Amino acid sequence: MRLRHHPKSGAARQLAATVETADSALAQLRGLMFRRSLPEEYALAFRFGSARPRDVHMLFVFVPLDVIWVVDGVVERVERLRPWRGIARSEADLLLELPAGAADGVEPGDELVLEPA
């Protein structure tokens, strides 16, 4: 899969060429813990059946991340979290974790779409 950003104004762009999904409870719990680096144009997607508050913690995460909370395809929140110390919560039915800087320019109200590669 790939991740496309459709801003409220301006041209659409690709945020990630490679998107992994955390499909199992174990994969969701682990997230990006213990990874020492992330490839460019990479994202980890957590898809949920409904929108509700979702927590992200950075315990055992060694790299800074951009985290995006999405409800019905619309960005609710974008936050850069620091390794080991970051924690944040917002409503989402889709949560995305990307390398820090990858979500620059993504703002609440923009649309994000997961597409087949």
mmCIF file of all heavy atoms in Angstrom, residues 24-76:
data_model
loop_
_atom_site.group_PDB
_atom_site.id
_atom_site.type_symbol
_atom_site.label_atom_id
_atom_site.label_comp_id
_atom_site.label_asym_id
_atom_site.label_seq_id
_atom_site.Cartn_x
_atom_site.Cartn_y
_atom_site.Cartn_z
ATOM 1 N N SER A 24 -2.643 -7.397 13.783
ATOM 2 C CA SER A 24 -2.944 -8.205 14.970
ATOM 3 C C SER A 24 -2.795 -7.354 16.235
ATOM 4 O O SER A 24 -2.171 -6.294 16.227
ATOM 5 C CB SER A 24 -1.995 -9.396 15.054
ATOM 6 O OG SER A 24 -0.681 -8.963 15.346
ATOM 7 N N ALA A 25 -3.362 -7.842 17.313
ATOM 8 C CA ALA A 25 -3.235 -7.146 18.596
ATOM 9 C C ALA A 25 -1.768 -7.029 18.997
ATOM 10 O O ALA A 25 -1.340 -5.988 19.511
ATOM 11 C CB ALA A 25 -4.041 -7.861 19.675
ATOM 12 N N LEU A 26 -0.984 -8.072 18.756
ATOM 13 C CA LEU A 26 0.439 -8.038 19.085
ATOM 14 C C LEU A 26 1.171 -7.001 18.237
ATOM 15 O O LEU A 26 1.983 -6.231 18.751
ATOM 16 C CB LEU A 26 1.075 -9.416 18.908
ATOM 17 C CG LEU A 26 2.557 -9.513 19.252
ATOM 18 C CD1 LEU A 26 2.798 -9.131 20.712
ATOM 19 C CD2 LEU A 26 3.068 -10.910 18.980
ATOM 20 N N ALA A 27 0.883 -6.961 16.948
ATOM 21 C CA ALA A 27 1.514 -5.974 16.065
ATOM 22 C C ALA A 27 1.131 -4.557 16.479
ATOM 23 O O ALA A 27 1.963 -3.645 16.436
ATOM 24 C CB ALA A 27 1.119 -6.226 14.614
ATOM 25 N N GLN A 28 -0.101 -4.359 16.912
ATOM 26 C CA GLN A 28 -0.536 -3.038 17.364
ATOM 27 C C GLN A 28 0.152 -2.657 18.666
ATOM 28 O O GLN A 28 0.538 -1.505 18.857
ATOM 29 C CB GLN A 28 -2.054 -3.001 17.515
ATOM 30 C CG GLN A 28 -2.763 -3.035 16.181
ATOM 31 C CD GLN A 28 -4.267 -3.062 16.320
ATOM 32 O OE1 GLN A 28 -4.822 -3.085 17.412
ATOM 33 N NE2 GLN A 28 -4.944 -3.064 15.188
ATOM 34 N N LEU A 29 0.308 -3.599 19.549
ATOM 35 C CA LEU A 29 0.982 -3.337 20.817
ATOM 36 C C LEU A 29 2.451 -2.990 20.592
ATOM 37 O O LEU A 29 2.986 -2.075 21.197
ATOM 38 C CB LEU A 29 0.863 -4.555 21.744
ATOM 39 C CG LEU A 29 1.516 -4.418 23.113
ATOM 40 C CD1 LEU A 29 0.817 -3.326 23.923
ATOM 41 C CD2 LEU A 29 1.452 -5.738 23.854
ATOM 42 N N ARG A 30 3.099 -3.709 19.684
ATOM 43 C CA ARG A 30 4.527 -3.499 19.426
ATOM 44 C C ARG A 30 4.779 -2.232 18.621
ATOM 45 O O ARG A 30 5.738 -1.519 18.878
ATOM 46 C CB ARG A 30 5.105 -4.706 18.698
ATOM 47 C CG ARG A 30 6.590 -4.565 18.502
ATOM 48 C CD ARG A 30 7.222 -5.842 18.064
ATOM 49 N NE ARG A 30 8.661 -5.695 18.103
ATOM 50 C CZ ARG A 30 9.462 -6.092 17.166
ATOM 51 N NH1 ARG A 30 8.984 -6.701 16.109
ATOM 52 N NH2 ARG A 30 10.748 -5.924 17.269
ATOM 53 N N GLY A 31 3.943 -1.959 17.632
ATOM 54 C CA GLY A 31 4.143 -0.762 16.810
ATOM 55 C C GLY A 31 5.550 -0.702 16.261
ATOM 56 O O GLY A 31 6.033 -1.650 15.659
ATOM 57 N N LEU A 32 6.238 0.395 16.500
ATOM 58 C CA LEU A 32 7.613 0.573 16.010
ATOM 59 C C LEU A 32 8.649 0.460 17.118
ATOM 60 O O LEU A 32 9.793 0.898 16.967
ATOM 61 C CB LEU A 32 7.736 1.926 15.297
ATOM 62 C CG LEU A 32 6.918 2.031 14.007
ATOM 63 C CD1 LEU A 32 6.971 3.441 13.453
ATOM 64 C CD2 LEU A 32 7.389 1.016 12.978
ATOM 65 N N MET A 33 8.266 -0.172 18.224
ATOM 66 C CA MET A 33 9.219 -0.365 19.319
ATOM 67 C C MET A 33 10.415 -1.188 18.839
ATOM 68 O O MET A 33 10.266 -2.075 18.000
ATOM 69 C CB MET A 33 8.557 -1.082 20.501
ATOM 70 C CG MET A 33 7.538 -0.239 21.212
ATOM 71 S SD MET A 33 6.943 -0.891 22.801
ATOM 72 C CE MET A 33 6.549 -2.576 22.465
ATOM 73 N N PHE A 34 11.570 -0.861 19.349
ATOM 74 C CA PHE A 34 12.838 -1.571 19.147
ATOM 75 C C PHE A 34 13.477 -1.334 17.778
ATOM 76 O O PHE A 34 14.573 -1.806 17.546
ATOM 77 C CB PHE A 34 12.692 -3.076 19.405
ATOM 78 C CG PHE A 34 12.067 -3.385 20.731
ATOM 79 C CD1 PHE A 34 10.787 -3.924 20.798
ATOM 80 C CD2 PHE A 34 12.729 -3.095 21.910
ATOM 81 C CE1 PHE A 34 10.193 -4.190 22.024
ATOM 82 C CE2 PHE A 34 12.136 -3.349 23.143
ATOM 83 C CZ PHE A 34 10.868 -3.904 23.193
ATOM 84 N N ARG A 35 12.836 -0.601 16.886
ATOM 85 C CA ARG A 35 13.453 -0.314 15.588
ATOM 86 C C ARG A 35 14.429 0.850 15.759
ATOM 87 O O ARG A 35 14.110 1.843 16.388
ATOM 88 C CB ARG A 35 12.407 0.029 14.539
ATOM 89 C CG ARG A 35 11.518 -1.158 14.237
ATOM 90 C CD ARG A 35 10.771 -0.951 12.968
ATOM 91 N NE ARG A 35 9.713 -1.946 12.827
ATOM 92 C CZ ARG A 35 8.954 -2.044 11.778
ATOM 93 N NH1 ARG A 35 9.104 -1.211 10.765
ATOM 94 N NH2 ARG A 35 8.012 -2.961 11.724
ATOM 95 N N ARG A 36 15.607 0.700 15.217
ATOM 96 C CA ARG A 36 16.659 1.718 15.349
ATOM 97 C C ARG A 36 16.618 2.735 14.212
ATOM 98 O O ARG A 36 17.222 3.800 14.304
ATOM 99 C CB ARG A 36 18.024 1.057 15.388
ATOM 100 C CG ARG A 36 18.171 0.093 16.532
ATOM 101 C CD ARG A 36 18.862 0.742 17.668
ATOM 102 N NE ARG A 36 18.976 -0.216 18.780
ATOM 103 C CZ ARG A 36 19.108 0.171 20.008
ATOM 104 N NH1 ARG A 36 19.144 1.433 20.299
ATOM 105 N NH2 ARG A 36 19.199 -0.725 20.960
ATOM 106 N N SER A 37 15.928 2.404 13.134
ATOM 107 C CA SER A 37 15.799 3.334 12.004
ATOM 108 C C SER A 37 14.557 2.947 11.204
ATOM 109 O O SER A 37 14.031 1.843 11.356
ATOM 110 C CB SER A 37 17.044 3.296 11.116
ATOM 111 O OG SER A 37 17.155 2.024 10.502
ATOM 112 N N LEU A 38 14.126 3.878 10.359
ATOM 113 C CA LEU A 38 12.977 3.631 9.485
ATOM 114 C C LEU A 38 13.361 4.029 8.070
ATOM 115 O O LEU A 38 14.046 5.039 7.872
ATOM 116 C CB LEU A 38 11.771 4.466 9.917
ATOM 117 C CG LEU A 38 11.194 4.158 11.292
ATOM 118 C CD1 LEU A 38 10.089 5.142 11.631
ATOM 119 C CD2 LEU A 38 10.664 2.733 11.349
ATOM 120 N N PRO A 39 12.898 3.284 7.082
ATOM 121 C CA PRO A 39 13.186 3.667 5.701
ATOM 122 C C PRO A 39 12.454 4.959 5.332
ATOM 123 O O PRO A 39 11.422 5.286 5.914
ATOM 124 C CB PRO A 39 12.650 2.490 4.871
ATOM 125 C CG PRO A 39 12.100 1.506 5.812
ATOM 126 C CD PRO A 39 12.154 2.042 7.192
ATOM 127 N N GLU A 40 12.996 5.678 4.364
ATOM 128 C CA GLU A 40 12.286 6.842 3.841
ATOM 129 C C GLU A 40 10.996 6.375 3.177
ATOM 130 O O GLU A 40 10.911 5.251 2.685
ATOM 131 C CB GLU A 40 13.155 7.572 2.807
ATOM 132 C CG GLU A 40 14.325 8.302 3.426
ATOM 133 C CD GLU A 40 15.067 9.116 2.397
ATOM 134 O OE1 GLU A 40 14.440 9.625 1.439
ATOM 135 O OE2 GLU A 40 16.290 9.241 2.558
ATOM 136 N N GLU A 41 10.016 7.238 3.164
ATOM 137 C CA GLU A 41 8.715 6.966 2.550
ATOM 138 C C GLU A 41 8.061 5.705 3.115
ATOM 139 O O GLU A 41 7.460 4.908 2.399
ATOM 140 C CB GLU A 41 8.823 6.897 1.025
ATOM 141 C CG GLU A 41 9.190 8.231 0.425
ATOM 142 C CD GLU A 41 8.841 8.342 -1.028
ATOM 143 O OE1 GLU A 41 8.000 7.568 -1.520
ATOM 144 O OE2 GLU A 41 9.419 9.217 -1.681
ATOM 145 N N TYR A 42 8.162 5.524 4.433
ATOM 146 C CA TYR A 42 7.601 4.377 5.140
ATOM 147 C C TYR A 42 6.529 4.858 6.113
ATOM 148 O O TYR A 42 6.619 5.957 6.660
ATOM 149 C CB TYR A 42 8.699 3.654 5.925
ATOM 150 C CG TYR A 42 8.172 2.595 6.857
ATOM 151 C CD1 TYR A 42 7.928 1.307 6.395
ATOM 152 C CD2 TYR A 42 7.889 2.884 8.189
ATOM 153 C CE1 TYR A 42 7.421 0.335 7.246
ATOM 154 C CE2 TYR A 42 7.393 1.917 9.044
ATOM 155 C CZ TYR A 42 7.154 0.648 8.565
ATOM 156 O OH TYR A 42 6.657 -0.303 9.401
ATOM 157 N N ALA A 43 5.511 4.031 6.307
ATOM 158 C CA ALA A 43 4.503 4.309 7.336
ATOM 159 C C ALA A 43 3.999 2.986 7.907
ATOM 160 O O ALA A 43 3.967 1.965 7.221
ATOM 161 C CB ALA A 43 3.337 5.095 6.752
ATOM 162 N N LEU A 44 3.610 3.040 9.170
ATOM 163 C CA LEU A 44 2.930 1.924 9.814
ATOM 164 C C LEU A 44 1.504 2.386 10.091
ATOM 165 O O LEU A 44 1.302 3.438 10.707
ATOM 166 C CB LEU A 44 3.620 1.531 11.116
ATOM 167 C CG LEU A 44 2.988 0.360 11.880
ATOM 168 C CD1 LEU A 44 2.990 -0.919 11.053
ATOM 169 C CD2 LEU A 44 3.696 0.135 13.207
ATOM 170 N N ALA A 45 0.529 1.618 9.607
ATOM 171 C CA ALA A 45 -0.886 1.984 9.740
ATOM 172 C C ALA A 45 -1.579 1.045 10.722
ATOM 173 O O ALA A 45 -1.420 -0.171 10.660
ATOM 174 C CB ALA A 45 -1.575 1.900 8.380
ATOM 175 N N PHE A 46 -2.346 1.652 11.624
ATOM 176 C CA PHE A 46 -3.181 0.928 12.573
ATOM 177 C C PHE A 46 -4.627 1.221 12.171
ATOM 178 O O PHE A 46 -5.085 2.356 12.331
ATOM 179 C CB PHE A 46 -2.949 1.432 13.999
ATOM 180 C CG PHE A 46 -1.533 1.311 14.485
ATOM 181 C CD1 PHE A 46 -0.563 2.229 14.103
ATOM 182 C CD2 PHE A 46 -1.176 0.285 15.344
ATOM 183 C CE1 PHE A 46 0.730 2.132 14.568
ATOM 184 C CE2 PHE A 46 0.120 0.171 15.814
ATOM 185 C CZ PHE A 46 1.081 1.094 15.427
ATOM 186 N N ARG A 47 -5.328 0.228 11.647
ATOM 187 C CA ARG A 47 -6.726 0.433 11.255
ATOM 188 C C ARG A 47 -7.637 -0.153 12.317
ATOM 189 O O ARG A 47 -7.448 -1.280 12.762
ATOM 190 C CB ARG A 47 -6.991 -0.213 9.899
ATOM 191 C CG ARG A 47 -6.240 0.494 8.790
ATOM 192 C CD ARG A 47 -6.696 0.042 7.447
ATOM 193 N NE ARG A 47 -5.963 -1.161 7.070
ATOM 194 C CZ ARG A 47 -6.019 -1.710 5.877
ATOM 195 N NH1 ARG A 47 -6.784 -1.204 4.952
ATOM 196 N NH2 ARG A 47 -5.312 -2.778 5.605
ATOM 197 N N PHE A 48 -8.624 0.640 12.700
ATOM 198 C CA PHE A 48 -9.571 0.236 13.728
ATOM 199 C C PHE A 48 -10.985 0.272 13.146
ATOM 200 O O PHE A 48 -11.255 1.019 12.209
ATOM 201 C CB PHE A 48 -9.477 1.167 14.939
ATOM 202 C CG PHE A 48 -8.094 1.269 15.515
ATOM 203 C CD1 PHE A 48 -7.274 2.353 15.217
ATOM 204 C CD2 PHE A 48 -7.595 0.277 16.344
ATOM 205 C CE1 PHE A 48 -6.002 2.454 15.747
ATOM 206 C CE2 PHE A 48 -6.313 0.364 16.870
ATOM 207 C CZ PHE A 48 -5.521 1.457 16.576
ATOM 208 N N GLY A 49 -11.901 -0.499 13.730
ATOM 209 C CA GLY A 49 -13.272 -0.577 13.241
ATOM 210 C C GLY A 49 -14.115 0.650 13.530
ATOM 211 O O GLY A 49 -15.119 0.881 12.865
ATOM 212 N N SER A 50 -13.701 1.446 14.503
ATOM 213 C CA SER A 50 -14.477 2.636 14.844
ATOM 214 C C SER A 50 -13.547 3.715 15.388
ATOM 215 O O SER A 50 -12.426 3.428 15.817
ATOM 216 C CB SER A 50 -15.545 2.301 15.889
ATOM 217 O OG SER A 50 -14.936 1.867 17.088
ATOM 218 N N ALA A 51 -14.039 4.936 15.368
ATOM 219 C CA ALA A 51 -13.258 6.056 15.894
ATOM 220 C C ALA A 51 -13.487 6.163 17.395
ATOM 221 O O ALA A 51 -14.618 6.127 17.865
ATOM 222 C CB ALA A 51 -13.681 7.349 15.206
ATOM 223 N N ARG A 52 -12.375 6.240 18.115
ATOM 224 C CA ARG A 52 -12.406 6.499 19.553
ATOM 225 C C ARG A 52 -11.019 6.984 19.948
ATOM 226 O O ARG A 52 -10.092 6.924 19.146
ATOM 227 C CB ARG A 52 -12.844 5.279 20.353
ATOM 228 C CG ARG A 52 -11.910 4.113 20.342
ATOM 229 C CD ARG A 52 -12.452 2.986 21.232
ATOM 230 N NE ARG A 52 -11.525 1.906 21.358
ATOM 231 C CZ ARG A 52 -10.557 1.820 22.259
ATOM 232 N NH1 ARG A 52 -10.369 2.769 23.134
ATOM 233 N NH2 ARG A 52 -9.751 0.776 22.297
ATOM 234 N N PRO A 53 -10.841 7.493 21.158
ATOM 235 C CA PRO A 53 -9.514 7.970 21.546
ATOM 236 C C PRO A 53 -8.466 6.844 21.463
ATOM 237 O O PRO A 53 -8.695 5.741 21.945
ATOM 238 C CB PRO A 53 -9.713 8.434 22.996
ATOM 239 C CG PRO A 53 -11.158 8.788 23.067
ATOM 240 C CD PRO A 53 -11.847 7.777 22.184
ATOM 241 N N ARG A 54 -7.355 7.155 20.812
ATOM 242 C CA ARG A 54 -6.241 6.208 20.636
ATOM 243 C C ARG A 54 -4.971 6.821 21.207
ATOM 244 O O ARG A 54 -4.639 7.962 20.903
ATOM 245 C CB ARG A 54 -6.022 5.878 19.165
ATOM 246 C CG ARG A 54 -7.251 5.450 18.402
ATOM 247 C CD ARG A 54 -7.708 4.079 18.779
ATOM 248 N NE ARG A 54 -8.967 3.771 18.090
ATOM 249 C CZ ARG A 54 -9.624 2.671 18.236
ATOM 250 N NH1 ARG A 54 -9.164 1.715 19.035
ATOM 251 N NH2 ARG A 54 -10.754 2.469 17.599
ATOM 252 N N ASP A 55 -4.266 6.046 22.022
ATOM 253 C CA ASP A 55 -3.021 6.486 22.646
ATOM 254 C C ASP A 55 -1.819 6.023 21.834
ATOM 255 O O ASP A 55 -1.830 4.933 21.270
ATOM 256 C CB ASP A 55 -2.877 5.888 24.047
ATOM 257 C CG ASP A 55 -3.965 6.345 24.988
ATOM 258 O OD1 ASP A 55 -4.275 7.540 24.998
ATOM 259 O OD2 ASP A 55 -4.509 5.492 25.723
ATOM 260 N N VAL A 56 -0.793 6.851 21.846
ATOM 261 C CA VAL A 56 0.505 6.482 21.275
ATOM 262 C C VAL A 56 1.559 6.785 22.327
ATOM 263 O O VAL A 56 1.567 7.874 22.897
ATOM 264 C CB VAL A 56 0.811 7.280 19.993
ATOM 265 C CG1 VAL A 56 2.208 6.959 19.487
ATOM 266 C CG2 VAL A 56 -0.218 6.994 18.922
ATOM 267 N N HIS A 57 2.411 5.806 22.599
ATOM 268 C CA HIS A 57 3.520 6.026 23.526
ATOM 269 C C HIS A 57 4.816 5.741 22.790
ATOM 270 O O HIS A 57 4.838 5.037 21.788
ATOM 271 C CB HIS A 57 3.403 5.116 24.753
ATOM 272 C CG HIS A 57 3.660 3.683 24.439
ATOM 273 N ND1 HIS A 57 4.939 3.170 24.337
ATOM 274 C CD2 HIS A 57 2.820 2.653 24.169
ATOM 275 C CE1 HIS A 57 4.871 1.876 24.027
ATOM 276 N NE2 HIS A 57 3.598 1.545 23.909
ATOM 277 N N MET A 58 5.889 6.294 23.292
ATOM 278 C CA MET A 58 7.185 6.147 22.648
ATOM 279 C C MET A 58 8.161 5.308 23.476
ATOM 280 O O MET A 58 9.364 5.338 23.236
ATOM 281 C CB MET A 58 7.765 7.538 22.371
ATOM 282 C CG MET A 58 6.938 8.348 21.390
ATOM 283 S SD MET A 58 6.953 7.679 19.720
ATOM 284 C CE MET A 58 8.603 8.131 19.208
ATOM 285 N N LEU A 59 7.652 4.549 24.420
ATOM 286 C CA LEU A 59 8.496 3.681 25.220
ATOM 287 C C LEU A 59 9.128 2.628 24.311
ATOM 288 O O LEU A 59 8.435 1.971 23.535
ATOM 289 C CB LEU A 59 7.661 3.010 26.316
ATOM 290 C CG LEU A 59 8.429 2.296 27.408
ATOM 291 C CD1 LEU A 59 9.316 3.277 28.164
ATOM 292 C CD2 LEU A 59 7.460 1.639 28.370
ATOM 293 N N PHE A 60 10.435 2.496 24.367
ATOM 294 C CA PHE A 60 11.219 1.566 23.550
ATOM 295 C C PHE A 60 11.196 1.911 22.057
ATOM 296 O O PHE A 60 11.509 1.073 21.228
ATOM 297 C CB PHE A 60 10.786 0.110 23.757
ATOM 298 C CG PHE A 60 11.005 -0.376 25.156
ATOM 299 C CD1 PHE A 60 9.925 -0.573 26.008
ATOM 300 C CD2 PHE A 60 12.271 -0.604 25.648
ATOM 301 C CE1 PHE A 60 10.103 -0.997 27.303
ATOM 302 C CE2 PHE A 60 12.471 -1.020 26.946
ATOM 303 C CZ PHE A 60 11.382 -1.217 27.776
ATOM 304 N N VAL A 61 10.830 3.139 21.722
ATOM 305 C CA VAL A 61 10.926 3.619 20.341
ATOM 306 C C VAL A 61 12.169 4.508 20.288
ATOM 307 O O VAL A 61 12.276 5.473 21.034
ATOM 308 C CB VAL A 61 9.665 4.402 19.909
ATOM 309 C CG1 VAL A 61 9.825 4.918 18.487
ATOM 310 C CG2 VAL A 61 8.430 3.499 20.015
ATOM 311 N N PHE A 62 13.102 4.169 19.406
ATOM 312 C CA PHE A 62 14.419 4.807 19.385
ATOM 313 C C PHE A 62 14.537 5.969 18.406
ATOM 314 O O PHE A 62 15.570 6.628 18.365
ATOM 315 C CB PHE A 62 15.491 3.764 19.057
ATOM 316 C CG PHE A 62 15.602 2.686 20.101
ATOM 317 C CD1 PHE A 62 15.018 1.450 19.902
ATOM 318 C CD2 PHE A 62 16.285 2.916 21.286
ATOM 319 C CE1 PHE A 62 15.114 0.455 20.868
ATOM 320 C CE2 PHE A 62 16.385 1.925 22.253
ATOM 321 C CZ PHE A 62 15.795 0.694 22.039
ATOM 322 N N VAL A 63 13.515 6.215 17.599
ATOM 323 C CA VAL A 63 13.565 7.285 16.600
ATOM 324 C C VAL A 63 12.349 8.197 16.774
ATOM 325 O O VAL A 63 11.286 7.738 17.190
ATOM 326 C CB VAL A 63 13.603 6.712 15.169
ATOM 327 C CG1 VAL A 63 14.883 5.922 14.921
ATOM 328 C CG2 VAL A 63 12.392 5.842 14.882
ATOM 329 N N PRO A 64 12.495 9.492 16.459
ATOM 330 C CA PRO A 64 11.335 10.377 16.523
ATOM 331 C C PRO A 64 10.337 10.010 15.426
ATOM 332 O O PRO A 64 10.721 9.556 14.347
ATOM 333 C CB PRO A 64 11.922 11.776 16.311
ATOM 334 C CG PRO A 64 13.220 11.555 15.628
ATOM 335 C CD PRO A 64 13.711 10.189 16.037
ATOM 336 N N LEU A 65 9.063 10.203 15.721
ATOM 337 C CA LEU A 65 7.996 9.850 14.780
ATOM 338 C C LEU A 65 7.036 11.011 14.569
ATOM 339 O O LEU A 65 6.791 11.791 15.485
ATOM 340 C CB LEU A 65 7.167 8.674 15.314
ATOM 341 C CG LEU A 65 7.857 7.348 15.561
ATOM 342 C CD1 LEU A 65 6.864 6.350 16.155
ATOM 343 C CD2 LEU A 65 8.461 6.805 14.272
ATOM 344 N N ASP A 66 6.479 11.071 13.376
ATOM 345 C CA ASP A 66 5.295 11.878 13.116
ATOM 346 C C ASP A 66 4.116 10.931 13.225
ATOM 347 O O ASP A 66 4.110 9.867 12.583
ATOM 348 C CB ASP A 66 5.325 12.496 11.722
ATOM 349 C CG ASP A 66 6.280 13.672 11.612
ATOM 350 O OD1 ASP A 66 6.794 14.135 12.651
ATOM 351 O OD2 ASP A 66 6.505 14.135 10.477
ATOM 352 N N VAL A 67 3.141 11.295 14.033
ATOM 353 C CA VAL A 67 1.955 10.463 14.229
ATOM 354 C C VAL A 67 0.746 11.251 13.741
ATOM 355 O O VAL A 67 0.614 12.443 14.037
ATOM 356 C CB VAL A 67 1.781 10.060 15.703
ATOM 357 C CG1 VAL A 67 0.556 9.179 15.886
ATOM 358 C CG2 VAL A 67 3.036 9.354 16.210
ATOM 359 N N ILE A 68 -0.120 10.576 12.984
ATOM 360 C CA ILE A 68 -1.313 11.212 12.425
ATOM 361 C C ILE A 68 -2.534 10.411 12.842
ATOM 362 O O ILE A 68 -2.605 9.206 12.612
ATOM 363 C CB ILE A 68 -1.247 11.293 10.891
ATOM 364 C CG1 ILE A 68 0.057 11.947 10.431
ATOM 365 C CG2 ILE A 68 -2.460 12.037 10.347
ATOM 366 C CD1 ILE A 68 0.293 11.870 8.929
ATOM 367 N N TRP A 69 -3.503 11.102 13.462
ATOM 368 C CA TRP A 69 -4.786 10.501 13.830
ATOM 369 C C TRP A 69 -5.803 10.901 12.761
ATOM 370 O O TRP A 69 -5.935 12.090 12.436
ATOM 371 C CB TRP A 69 -5.249 11.016 15.183
ATOM 372 C CG TRP A 69 -4.467 10.519 16.347
ATOM 373 C CD1 TRP A 69 -4.822 9.503 17.182
ATOM 374 C CD2 TRP A 69 -3.224 11.018 16.862
ATOM 375 N NE1 TRP A 69 -3.864 9.332 18.165
ATOM 376 C CE2 TRP A 69 -2.879 10.251 17.995
ATOM 377 C CE3 TRP A 69 -2.373 12.049 16.466
ATOM 378 C CZ2 TRP A 69 -1.729 10.481 18.727
ATOM 379 C CZ3 TRP A 69 -1.213 12.276 17.185
ATOM 380 C CH2 TRP A 69 -0.910 11.490 18.301
ATOM 381 N N VAL A 70 -6.527 9.914 12.217
ATOM 382 C CA VAL A 70 -7.450 10.138 11.108
ATOM 383 C C VAL A 70 -8.815 9.551 11.469
ATOM 384 O O VAL A 70 -8.890 8.445 12.012
ATOM 385 C CB VAL A 70 -6.914 9.464 9.820
ATOM 386 C CG1 VAL A 70 -7.856 9.672 8.651
ATOM 387 C CG2 VAL A 70 -5.515 9.961 9.491
ATOM 388 N N VAL A 71 -9.882 10.283 11.150
ATOM 389 C CA VAL A 71 -11.253 9.787 11.309
ATOM 390 C C VAL A 71 -11.953 9.943 9.961
ATOM 391 O O VAL A 71 -12.017 11.045 9.409
ATOM 392 C CB VAL A 71 -12.023 10.557 12.402
ATOM 393 C CG1 VAL A 71 -13.477 10.092 12.462
ATOM 394 C CG2 VAL A 71 -11.355 10.379 13.755
ATOM 395 N N ASP A 72 -12.457 8.834 9.429
ATOM 396 C CA ASP A 72 -13.170 8.833 8.141
ATOM 397 C C ASP A 72 -12.367 9.519 7.039
ATOM 398 O O ASP A 72 -12.909 10.274 6.237
ATOM 399 C CB ASP A 72 -14.549 9.484 8.273
ATOM 400 C CG ASP A 72 -15.484 8.699 9.171
ATOM 401 O OD1 ASP A 72 -15.352 7.461 9.234
ATOM 402 O OD2 ASP A 72 -16.348 9.327 9.820
ATOM 403 N N GLY A 73 -11.063 9.279 7.022
ATOM 404 C CA GLY A 73 -10.200 9.810 5.970
ATOM 405 C C GLY A 73 -9.743 11.240 6.170
ATOM 406 O O GLY A 73 -8.994 11.769 5.349
ATOM 407 N N VAL A 74 -10.180 11.893 7.257
ATOM 408 C CA VAL A 74 -9.836 13.293 7.502
ATOM 409 C C VAL A 74 -8.899 13.381 8.707
ATOM 410 O O VAL A 74 -9.169 12.794 9.758
ATOM 411 C CB VAL A 74 -11.106 14.140 7.743
ATOM 412 C CG1 VAL A 74 -10.739 15.583 8.053
ATOM 413 C CG2 VAL A 74 -12.035 14.069 6.537
ATOM 414 N N VAL A 75 -7.810 14.120 8.552
ATOM 415 C CA VAL A 75 -6.816 14.274 9.612
ATOM 416 C C VAL A 75 -7.424 15.038 10.793
ATOM 417 O O VAL A 75 -7.986 16.118 10.622
ATOM 418 C CB VAL A 75 -5.573 15.027 9.086
ATOM 419 C CG1 VAL A 75 -4.587 15.313 10.217
ATOM 420 C CG2 VAL A 75 -4.903 14.236 7.966
ATOM 421 N N GLU A 76 -7.296 14.448 11.975
ATOM 422 C CA GLU A 76 -7.753 15.077 13.214
ATOM 423 C C GLU A 76 -6.602 15.778 13.938
ATOM 424 O O GLU A 76 -6.785 16.834 14.513
ATOM 425 C CB GLU A 76 -8.358 14.030 14.160
ATOM 426 C CG GLU A 76 -9.649 13.436 13.665
ATOM 427 C CD GLU A 76 -10.790 14.425 13.696
ATOM 428 O OE1 GLU A 76 -10.946 15.127 14.715
ATOM 429 O OE2 GLU A 76 -11.518 14.509 12.690
#
